[in-house]
Amino acid sequence: MTPDGLARTHGAAFGDAGWSAESFRGYLDDPRATLWGDETCFAVLRRAGPEAEVLTLATHPAHQGQGRATAMLRAALAGLAAQGVEEVFLEVAQSNTAALALYRACGFEAFGQRVGYYRNGDTAVCMKARLSATSGG
């Protein structure tokens, strides 16, 4: 995975809110960050002790609707569980129904909201998944 390739996919998926190649370069160099997937469908997660956070998840529009993000996120959660991570957190826009469905399918449950969290005024849904070493998610 290259920073430029990740930025292209992120920009295609998120438009003006897409991250720069420089942002991805920083995560690739961060020992606490893990990137799962490939340049067309990936997640950036950061680990802190027994917890982790999904910083972003993106699938290029040409590859959406194929189940790739679900498979990739499930593999990421299983990998984190094997490393001793117990809980994974994320925020997702309340209006992003596809992402909400993806996260629920992967075992995430809503536990709160952050009203007006995003630049466009959208509310963030705070979600978490409890992992176990035996279940992988």
Side-chain angles (χ1 to χ4, degrees):
M1 287 188 269
T2 67
D4 289 334
L6 296 167
R8 276 192 298 277
T9 292
H10 206 263
F14 290 101
D16 291 342
W19 293 2
S20 69
E22 188 60 34
S23 293
F24 284 107
R25 193 170 286 108
Y27 288 115
L28 288 168
D29 292 339
D30 183 346
R32 299 166 299 154
T34 304
L35 277 79
W36 286 85
D38 60 37
E39 286 186 3
T40 62
C41 177
F42 63 86
V44 179
L45 301 104
R46 183 171 41 208
R47 184 174 174 188
E51 298 178 352
E53 178 181 15
V54 177
L55 301 176
T56 194
L57 185 150
T59 302
H60 192 283
H63 299 277
Q64 291 176 355
Q66 302 171 8
R68 293 182 66 207
T70 302
M72 179 272 304
L73 183 56
R74 285 183 176 153
L77 295 175
L80 290 170
Q83 295 171 19
V85 172
E86 298 169 4
E87 292 184 306
V88 180
F89 296 87
L90 61 84
E91 291 96 16
V92 60
Q94 187 174 39
S95 63
N96 192 341
T97 55
L100 285 165
L102 163 70
Y103 294 132
R104 286 186 184 113
C106 290
F108 284 84
E109 296 179 354
F111 68 89
Q113 293 185 338
R114 293 185 175 147
V115 177
Y117 181 76
Y118 295 102
R119 277 188 293 196
N120 67 0
D122 204 352
T123 294
V125 177
C126 303
M127 302 182 85
K128 69 178 172 181
R130 295 186 193 276
L131 308 181
S132 72
T134 56
S135 70

